[in-house]
Amino acid sequence: MQFSSSHPTVVVTIGAKKTKQSNNMRVSPTTVALLASLSLQAPSFSVGFHVSPSGGGSVAASTNSNVSGHQRLRIGALFSTTTEDNETTSATATKKKKKLGLLTFDLDDTLYPIAPVLDEANTAFSTAMSNFGYVGIQPSDIVAAGKKIRINIAEDTQVDVSADKAEDPLKPTTVNHKEIRLAAIRKKMEEFILQTKLKQTADDWATDVDDLTAPVIKSAEKWARTTVHSSVVQAVYNAWEMERHHAAERHLFPDAISAIKQIQSDNPNVIIGAVTDGSANPMLMVFSLMPLFDFTVSWEDDIANVQQMEQFQELSAVDQSDELSWIYRLAVQKGKEMSALTNEIKKKNDEEEDEDIEWCWVHVGDDLAYDVGGAATCGAKTVLVDLSPEYGQTARLRLEGKVPEWSTETEDELGAHKKMSANAMDKVDARIQTLSQLPEVIAELLNGKSDE
């Protein structure tokens, strides 16, 4: 299965060229007899088929200059009348029919609102922190710590952040949501233990914490780093991530499931995948999205597979749509693999593939920069999910120059994001205000129509 967006058209020309047949076209015996009789009236008239890569499927008659104008008019009129059915049949047979082969979705703010999902995940996070003895650490503390870490990494590019891995196994080597959150959790845990240890030491010495000497404080800092174990940090993060997916299932937009099921019904062979820059994974949403999706690719989870690729770049440093191409190329690759496996399971041979079908790829998302700009660069038809304000999408905040409260995006990253969004405006093939519109919009895109 090849995913494409090109539409070659065919012109069938009857002229003074050598007779041949192309694309399984057939001429009825009646037509042959008619043209043979015409050739007796105009001896220089000959019959032939020519396939052209462009044109409107028109048919033209060609005669020699010694045929009179009246004869040429009569020949053209007779041919256009007698071969009308053959022309229609040939054009229909040679024009490829578009079918949906690959459909990819962004997840956050496309199939569910991200803000309430993160709020509920953060509540689970606070509970997990308290269960491990880290009382009083709030989700907002982690967000603030994450922003500082991102700024430090962006500003101190000369420092090898992996050099301290032995001392700090969770120190981020990539600027993505997961690595930043893990580092932020560890940082707040270390601060909590440090303050606890300093207070205990001050109480033992009957003095104030502010009066402790630098060597004592340095020893306490080392104690804190040693005490915080990676497994505890990971456990807290896992509690947050698990609740994130449960909350996403609870907050799915009302028409999300029915829209996807309708698309599957309309396009039985479609492969459906998720492409996300966050932590979401439909395969972990077992009560809702998992049965509907075939695969997922993530900027975070698939980094290890592409770090050796020349085009790889940290998401925080991306400022052009083509720099997002690797993740969409990976999605297309996985889509083709899943399609091949599906055909193999169904025992469908390659020769049974309909050559007159053109398989197409559509990407659906809420973010102009990452969804529309990135996918369009790789050849996808794009659908922008631009819902009504009551749905609570946050992408439009970035267009207004605002950072959502839950985001760790820096000012520089916000500026690059806004610029990319502006550049992607003309790459939108269709817009929808509710997900229930998606099946119809996809059908229109396959038929060459668009809302834009």
Side-chain angles (χ1 to χ4, degrees), residues 239-450:
W240 176 87
E241 189 175 62
M242 182 181 298
E243 183 58 27
R244 186 192 200 281
H245 288 95
H246 291 332
E249 291 189 287
R250 291 193 295 269
H251 289 280
L252 279 171
F253 292 135
D255 42 4
I257 298 295
S258 59
I260 296 175
K261 286 183 176 180
Q262 182 61 53
I263 293 168
Q264 288 180 320
S265 176
D266 296 341
N267 306 272
N269 295 316
V270 66
I271 300 296
I272 299 181
V275 180
T276 177
D277 65 320
S279 304
N281 186 342
M283 302 308 175
L284 298 178
M285 303 180 194
V286 295
F287 301 110
S288 56
L289 296 183
M290 187 186 75
L292 304 176
F293 278 74
D294 298 299
F295 70 89
T296 182
V297 291
S298 166
W299 196 285
E300 299 182 359
D301 296 335
D302 289 293
I303 281 179
N305 299 328
V306 297
Q307 280 183 322
Q308 303 302 319
M309 298 168 64
E310 292 183 3
Q311 73 272 17
F312 175 77
Q313 189 170 2
E314 301 290 2
L315 183 59
S316 61
V318 166
D319 58 7
Q320 297 182 43
S321 293
D322 57 3
E323 293 170 349
L324 298 164
S325 62
W326 73 263
I327 195 169
Y328 288 104
R329 284 204 296 270
L330 183 60
V332 172
Q333 178 184 332
K334 285 197 174 185
K336 290 180 179 179
E337 291 173 357
M338 295 300 296
S339 177
L341 289 172
T342 300
N343 289 339
E344 187 176 318
I345 292 172
K346 293 180 178 179
K347 301 183 185 304
K348 186 175 182 180
N349 298 324
D350 290 339
E351 57 265 23
E352 295 174 347
E353 186 81 13
D354 192 339
E355 295 181 355
D356 293 330
I357 292 178
E358 179 182 352
W359 296 100
C360 300
W361 167 32
V362 175
H363 180 71
V364 183
D366 71 298
D367 194 294
L368 276 167
Y370 294 162
D371 293 318
V372 173
T377 300
C378 293
K381 289 291 186 180
T382 60
V383 178
L384 181 64
V385 182
D386 190 12
L387 305 179
S388 302
E390 58 266 24
Y391 282 89
Q393 288 179 303
T394 57
R396 58 173 55 92
L397 294 178
R398 292 185 174 92
L399 291 177
E400 299 170 0
K402 301 176 183 177
V403 179
E405 292 183 2
W406 48 264
S407 175
T408 59
E409 199 171 35
T410 66
E411 289 297 326
D412 289 343
E413 292 166 8
L414 177 63
H417 198 147
K418 187 176 179 180
K419 179 181 178 182
M420 290 172 63
S421 297
N423 292 337
M425 287 286 191
D426 61 348
K427 295 180 175 63
V428 178
D429 292 305
R431 291 175 185 260
I432 57 175
Q433 293 183 320
T434 64
L435 290 174
S436 60
Q437 298 172 329
L438 187 57
E440 182 179 356
V441 164
I442 288 177
E444 290 177 351
L445 288 174
L446 295 178
N447 292 325
K449 301 176 182 179
S450 171

Side-chain angles (χ1 to χ4, degrees), residues 89-218:
T89 302
S90 299
T92 302
T94 56
K95 184 178 180 180
K96 287 190 174 183
K97 181 179 180 180
K98 280 187 172 184
K99 285 192 175 182
L100 184 63
L102 177 63
L103 175 63
T104 52
F105 284 92
D106 171 57
L107 297 173
D108 296 346
D109 271 345
T110 295
L111 298 182
Y112 51 81
I114 187 58
V117 168
L118 290 181
D119 285 344
E120 294 177 18
N122 287 338
T123 299
F125 157 82
S126 297
T127 301
M129 292 286 277
S130 297
N131 290 341
F132 282 104
Y134 298 95
V135 181
I137 299 179
Q138 300 300 318
S140 58
D141 298 330
I142 300 300
V143 173
K147 288 182 178 179
K148 289 181 180 179
I149 291 171
R150 290 184 79 106
I151 293 173
N152 291 339
I153 292 176
E155 292 180 348
D156 196 8
T157 55
Q158 287 78 27
V159 175
D160 182 5
V161 295
S162 63
D164 298 328
K165 272 291 182 180
E167 182 178 353
D168 185 356
L170 290 181
K171 190 167 185 177
T173 56
T174 54
V175 184
N176 64 64
H177 302 298
K178 182 176 181 179
E179 293 288 345
I180 293 298
R181 185 169 288 275
L182 285 168
I185 291 172
R186 184 181 185 89
K187 181 177 178 61
K188 299 309 294 184
M189 286 181 172
E190 289 180 0
E191 289 178 357
F192 181 89
I193 290 179
L194 175 61
Q195 294 302 318
T196 301
K197 189 63 177 178
L198 290 176
K199 187 176 185 308
Q200 289 175 351
T201 302
D203 291 344
D204 290 342
W205 291 359
T207 187
D208 293 330
V209 172
D210 294 339
D211 294 331
L212 295 176
T213 62
V216 171
I217 294 175
K218 187 173 182 180

Side-chain angles (χ1 to χ4, degrees), residues 78-98:
L78 286 172
F79 180 81
S80 63
T81 301
T82 308
T83 63
E84 181 178 1
D85 292 338
N86 288 329
E87 175 188 353
T88 303
T89 302
S90 299
T92 302
T94 56
K95 184 178 180 180
K96 287 190 174 183
K97 181 179 180 180
K98 280 187 172 184

